[in-house]
Amino acid sequence: MISVHDAGAIGALGDLSRFRQEFYQCLAARADALFELTDAVLCADGPVTSLVELSLAAEHRRGHGALYDSLNSGRVDIDRFRDVVARQSIPRCDNGRITLAIDVSHWLRPDANTSPDRLFCHTYARGKGQAQMIPGWPYSFVAVLEPGRTSWTAILDAQRLRPDDEDTAVAAAQLRAVVERLITAGHWHEGDPEIWIVGDTGYDGPRLAFLLTDLPVRVLVRVRSDRVMRLPAPPRQPGTAGRPARHGAEFTFTDPATWPEAAHTTNTQTTRYGSARARSWDRLHPRLTRRGAWADHDGPLPILEGTVIRLQVDRLPGDGTPKPLWLWSSATAATTGEVDRSWQMFLRRFDLEHTFRFLKQTVGWTKPRIRTPEAADRWTWLIVTAHTQLRLARHLAEDLRRPWEKAATTPDRLTPARVRRGFRNIRPTLTLPASAPKPSRPGPGRPPGSRNTHRAAVSHVGKTTKKDTTNQQTP
């Protein structure tokens, strides 16, 4: 129960009710049905296994026909709703720093040959080296990370990747829009610490840093262990003829003989990984060539310097053999404390994996068999709305644990699944802007014995744009 004397609970109740009212105002068509569908996701008993069963929840007062009609014909003002999400309270790390994590999660649709805009999604199998490429819709998520080990993140944006999209360019545009909304919402002011952006090996860190150079951000990504970077160019000697060198000696990750003396070396004792030894080298940069994303770059190619960090731990959870972890940060002249904070913050990026697991296994993000990608986008944003409401209700829910589950030490340690378990008890105290359904009769449907003469077109999977000429390296 929520005590009337608990000022924090009353404030959280007001924030959650305000968010629900603003979310309802962003629903431009089929607003009542979409709003009640979101409440059904939050209040359903157990994990969501199918879309039609949500119409049986008490919070969904409409039939299953209205449920599918809201997803297929409804309309959500996504741009307006992005601003609503950005105005909510967000977690912060040390010194009030905001840390954003970006990653892609796949909605696999291998049998939906009539669904357009599908791409081949890289998925891992159980065996070693058994990765597969399965058709589906990839979605890029941007979320704010919390300090410490937790399963909570604050999702700020979700965008479906289309066949003609260039991954790094789309990620840069998405991050730029998120950072600008955070600044507009007042979460960052002049003089505050830089916003950190954390990504995995799928992102080109130097390219992201170049595209976001005018924003107060610092890029931190993991790089492959077989990369080769360049040291700073040596100073030009007097009387040397020819063009000055732009790159120094090679820094090969797999060859310790090419490593100069590290700028910083730290050794941190952890309870999960044992001894964590970090070494960093300053002002390392990749040697760019005019191909791929840099093929149409005007002028000379830039020198994108940063800090390279090598992390080695004693053990990993389970039976995994520890391998060195390589990171690239867009910051130069990093101190010893910043090096330690960098690899520790990168480990917090894996909290986003807990969010993806919750979205897929508990609230059923990828369970519906939706045909059109537009309906998939609406359902995705309903799931983001449900997750945001659970985050705002963290301090309002009771710990309705199972007999075999451990009790939470503090209310803020409740997982998203436990908060959802008690959301049905919170809902009567919140704003319910959706109106009651009007009685109506179902349509006649297709006449018996008639055939469907409007067959759906079969859509191909993968990239659809063909280049006239191949990219060639210019001498």
Side-chain angles (χ1 to χ4, degrees):
M1 296 295 293
I2 301 175
S3 175
V4 295
H5 302 288
D6 191 348
I10 295 177
L13 191 65
D15 294 340
L16 182 54
S17 297
R18 191 179 308 108
F19 174 80
R20 289 166 61 88
Q21 183 66 39
E22 293 178 346
F23 163 63
Y24 181 79
Q25 296 173 355
C26 295
L27 303 176
R30 309 295 196 277
D32 296 335
L34 290 173
F35 189 88
E36 291 190 354
L37 177 58
T38 308
D39 278 358
V41 172
L42 290 167
C43 301
D45 295 328
V48 177
T49 56
S50 67
L51 189 60
V52 68
E53 290 185 356
L54 292 176
S55 63
L56 303 178
E59 290 74 17
H60 193 276
R61 298 174 292 179
R62 290 160 172 81
H64 62 278
L67 184 148
Y68 283 101
D69 182 65
S70 63
L71 288 179
N72 295 327
S73 303
R75 193 164 66 252
V76 182
D77 192 346
I78 297 179
D79 292 336
R80 179 181 178 183
F81 184 64
R82 285 189 173 108
D83 297 334
V84 173
V85 175
R87 289 197 296 267
Q88 309 306 313
S89 61
I90 60 175
R92 296 175 182 269
C93 298
D94 58 323
N95 301 327
R97 186 186 306 277
I98 300 174
T99 304
L100 302 178
I102 182 170
D103 202 356
V104 175
S105 185
H106 305 298
W107 184 343
L108 301 181
R109 299 301 310 278
D111 300 327
N113 57 354
T114 59
S115 296
D117 293 350
R118 291 182 303 160
L119 293 172
F120 287 106
C121 304
H122 182 274
T123 58
Y124 290 98
R126 291 187 178 271
K128 183 178 180 180
Q130 299 295 323
Q132 302 178 13
M133 302 298 290
I134 300 178
W137 289 316
Y139 277 84
S140 175
F141 288 85
V142 177
V144 183
L145 300 179
E146 294 192 0
R149 294 173 58 184
T150 178
S151 57
W152 286 98
T153 60
I155 303 178
L156 297 182
D157 192 61
Q159 182 176 342
R160 177 172 49 85
L161 300 180
R162 292 169 172 79
D164 295 334
D165 289 342
E166 200 274 317
D167 295 346
T168 304
V170 172
Q174 186 181 17
L175 289 168
R176 175 178 293 276
V178 169
V179 171
E180 290 177 350
R181 282 194 295 269
L182 291 177
I183 296 176
T184 303
H187 293 297
W188 188 90
H189 301 88
E190 190 69 29
D192 291 348
E194 292 179 315
I195 300 175
W196 282 19
I197 297 175
V198 183
D200 211 348
T201 53
Y203 296 96
D204 187 353
R207 177 70 176 175
L208 276 179
F210 175 78
L211 296 176
L212 303 176
T213 185
D214 59 323
L215 295 178
V217 299
R218 177 184 298 185
V219 178
L220 176 66
V221 297
R222 179 166 65 168
V223 293
R224 293 169 55 97
S225 58
D226 57 354
R227 288 288 300 271
V228 176
M229 289 196 175
R230 293 302 186 105
L231 296 170
R236 185 179 176 85
Q237 299 299 327
T240 303
R243 187 173 56 181
R246 302 185 73 236
H247 311 283
E250 289 187 348
F251 184 97
T252 305
F253 289 5
T254 57
D255 186 6
T258 63
W259 304 350
E261 183 180 356
H264 300 286
T265 301
T266 63
N267 194 334
T268 306
Q269 296 296 326
T270 65
T271 58
R272 187 174 179 84
Y273 305 101
S275 177
R277 299 173 296 277
R279 303 172 63 186
S280 66
W281 293 269
D282 192 25
R283 296 184 60 193
L284 266 66
H285 63 274
R287 183 173 182 175
L288 305 178
T289 57
R290 291 191 181 276
R291 62 176 59 181
W294 300 99
D296 300 329
H297 181 78
D298 297 333
L301 295 176
I303 301 295
L304 304 175
E305 295 182 336
T307 301
V308 171
I309 303 173
R310 183 183 186 270
L311 177 66
Q312 181 71 54
V313 298
D314 289 339
R315 63 179 182 271
L316 293 176
D319 299 331
T321 303
K323 297 181 180 180
L325 179 70
W326 291 90
L327 304 175
W328 184 89
S329 173
S330 61
T332 57
T335 63
T336 304
E338 291 176 342
V339 171
D340 276 341
R341 281 195 296 269
S342 296
W343 67 262
Q344 292 172 7
M345 186 51 60
F346 177 81
L347 296 182
R348 296 271 61 81
R349 188 206 69 83
F350 294 98
D351 295 340
L352 193 56
E353 303 294 337
H354 296 286
T355 300
F356 292 154
R357 187 180 298 110
F358 172 77
L359 298 184
K360 293 182 178 181
Q361 297 182 359
T362 304
V363 294
W365 170 44
T366 59
K367 295 297 182 181
R369 298 179 179 180
I370 299 175
R371 172 179 294 181
T372 63
E374 292 77 16
D377 293 343
R378 297 186 193 100
W379 172 251
T380 300
W381 276 102
L382 294 187
I383 295 299
V384 173
T385 304
H387 186 269
T388 305
Q389 293 189 52
L390 293 177
R391 183 172 61 87
L392 296 177
R394 291 172 62 177
H395 302 284
L396 303 176
E398 297 182 2
D399 187 11
L400 303 178
R401 64 185 182 91
R402 302 289 189 258
W404 55 85
E405 295 176 343
K406 295 181 180 179
T409 55
T410 55
D412 59 342
R413 298 299 298 174
L414 292 178
T415 62
R418 290 201 189 185
V419 175
R420 176 178 177 266
R421 197 178 297 167
F423 194 86
R424 176 170 285 178
N425 300 331
I426 304 174
R427 183 176 177 271
T429 63
L430 302 174
T431 301
L432 301 175
S435 58
K438 298 179 181 179
S440 61
R441 293 182 179 180
R446 186 183 303 164
S450 62
R451 290 188 174 184
N452 182 15
T453 58
H454 302 281
R455 295 293 184 90
V458 176
S459 301
H460 298 286
V461 185
K463 299 290 185 179
T464 57
T465 301
K466 296 182 180 180
K467 297 182 179 179
D468 297 333
T469 58
T470 59
N471 292 329
Q472 297 180 357
Q473 183 178 3
T474 58

